[in-house]
């Protein structure tokens, strides 16, 4: 079965190897007998309801975000419609910021977002850089950790009642103060975690794949666990680095 992924602005929003997240999704889908069909989506892309099962967008410097934000905002209605139809989303850093209402960048310009996630972002003067460790509970009762790397000037403010992706164990997170990182709304996940994120957090890759397949079939498949020994080691190294030095200017 094909799982159709819309990769938003791959040529503009792709830093710290964010493109690697697609490679992980492709490989883990193939190991389970699914084929990931990845379509690059940019200005004026035709996004029809129900056609994509998962949308992915990576991070980018303020300059790249400013170049594409108005076009991405124009795709906003179609992307929100796809979300309402049950498509999954993974957005990293600069992409995460543009899934909110707006990002006021370091020059003070307000870049429009698509308003899918209940949040806005304002750049601060000092960048928040380093390893991060989060505690998450995407499914009630199933506590997991996420380990990655952050580098952002943006301080993201979640709306009252909005659900963060996780609690910060080590690192800065959304704003260096709230103690939370990222945002999750239904099948949409936004996070500041680069690395890339998914090779060292395979459980999240499987969760996203299951959501994408559920969009196509109506129910998430029960995946057989994979050995993931190397992934576990990569996670542990990243987690220890975060505990040792995350969240310090
Ligand atoms: N340009 C944005 C910021 O500085 C996002 C950076 C990123 O994607 N790493 O906050």
């Amino acid at each position: 079965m094909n799982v159709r992924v819309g990769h938003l602005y791959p040529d503009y929003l792709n830093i710290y190897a964010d493109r690697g997240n697609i490679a992980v999704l492709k490989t883990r889908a193939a190991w389970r007998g699914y084929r990931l069909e990845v379509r690059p989506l940019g200005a004026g892309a035709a996004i029809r309801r129900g056609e994509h099962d998962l949308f992915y967008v990576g991070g980018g410097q303020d300059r790249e975000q400013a170049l594409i934000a108005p076009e991405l905002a124009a795709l906003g209605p179609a992307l929100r419609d796809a979300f309402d139809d049950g498509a999954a989303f993974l957005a990293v850093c600069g992409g995460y910021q543009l899934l909110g209402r707006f990002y006021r960048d370091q020059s003070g310009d307000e870049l429009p977002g698509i308003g899918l996630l209940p949040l806005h972002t304002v750049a601060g003067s000092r960048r928040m850089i380093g390893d991060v460790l989060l505690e998450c509970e995407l499914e009630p009762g199933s506590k997991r950790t996420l380990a990655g790397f952050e580098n952002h000037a943006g301080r993201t403010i979640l709306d009252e009642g909005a659900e963060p992706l996780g609690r910060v164990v080590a690192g800065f997170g959304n704003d260096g103060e709230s103690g939370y990182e990222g945002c999750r709304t239904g099948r949409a996940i936004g996070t500041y975690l680069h690395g890339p994120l998914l090779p060292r957090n395979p459980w999240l890759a499987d969760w996203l794949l299951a959501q994408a397949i559920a969009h196509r079939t109506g129910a998430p498949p029960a995946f057989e666990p994979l050995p993931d020994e190397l992934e576990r080691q990569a996670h542990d190294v990243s987690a220890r680095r975060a505990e040792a030095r995350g969240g310090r200017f």
Side-chain angles (χ1 to χ4, degrees):
M1 193 184 96
N2 280 9
V3 177
R4 289 180 282 194
V5 175
H7 188 172
L8 292 159
Y9 293 93
D11 300 330
Y12 288 86
L13 298 182
N14 174 46
I15 51 177
Y16 307 116
D18 288 341
R19 191 187 293 274
N21 290 321
I22 293 280
V24 171
L25 291 167
K26 229 180 202 166
T27 309
R28 296 183 76 83
W31 286 339
R32 274 71 176 250
Y34 297 89
R35 200 173 76 79
L36 217 70
E37 192 189 315
V38 182
R39 302 175 181 172
L41 300 172
I47 297 174
R48 281 175 285 276
R49 188 182 176 96
E51 200 172 318
H52 297 87
D53 306 305
L54 171 68
F55 291 91
Y56 173 71
V57 57
Q61 305 302 351
D62 285 11
R63 183 179 170 281
E64 277 69 35
Q65 289 174 288
L67 286 173
I68 59 100
E71 296 168 10
L72 177 62
L75 297 175
L79 289 168
R80 289 196 304 276
D81 188 47
F83 171 77
D84 294 342
D85 181 62
F89 283 72
L90 175 62
V92 174
C93 207
Y96 163 45
Q97 295 166 339
L98 294 178
L99 257 60
R101 280 185 300 280
F102 66 85
Y103 167 45
R104 193 172 304 133
D105 70 13
Q106 293 163 86
S107 70
D109 291 343
E110 202 163 287
L111 310 181
I114 69 167
L116 191 154
L117 294 177
L119 55 92
H120 67 278
T121 304
V122 177
S125 54
R126 301 188 71 179
R127 298 192 71 80
M128 297 189 277
I129 302 175
D131 294 282
V132 189
L133 181 63
L134 307 180
E135 189 182 80
C136 308
E137 194 172 349
L138 290 184
E139 303 300 341
S142 140
K143 284 212 163 103
R144 316 295 293 260
T145 55
L146 278 180
F149 176 81
E150 62 185 332
N151 181 344
H152 54 109
R155 274 79 173 149
T156 294
I157 315 300
L158 301 191
D159 292 358
E160 189 73 34
E163 185 186 340
L165 172 61
R167 184 181 64 78
V168 174
V169 176
F172 292 101
N174 279 337
D175 58 2
E177 285 164 20
S178 66
Y180 293 105
E181 199 288 320
C183 182
R184 183 258 174 116
T185 302
R187 291 179 175 157
I189 302 267
T191 178
Y192 274 115
L193 272 57
H194 294 283
L197 171 69
L198 298 180
R200 50 184 101 171
N201 303 286
W203 72 266
L204 183 61
D206 289 350
W207 186 87
L208 287 160
L209 278 174
Q211 302 306 312
I213 293 164
H215 172 249
R216 187 141 296 277
T217 65
F223 288 140
E224 282 303 309
L226 292 168
D228 289 342
E229 188 41 41
L230 267 182
E231 292 84 347
R232 223 187 316 281
Q233 289 172 27
H235 180 93
D236 294 349
V237 168
S238 186
R240 281 199 298 277
R241 272 203 314 242
E243 285 164 337
R245 56 183 192 202
R248 299 194 194 132
F249 280 112

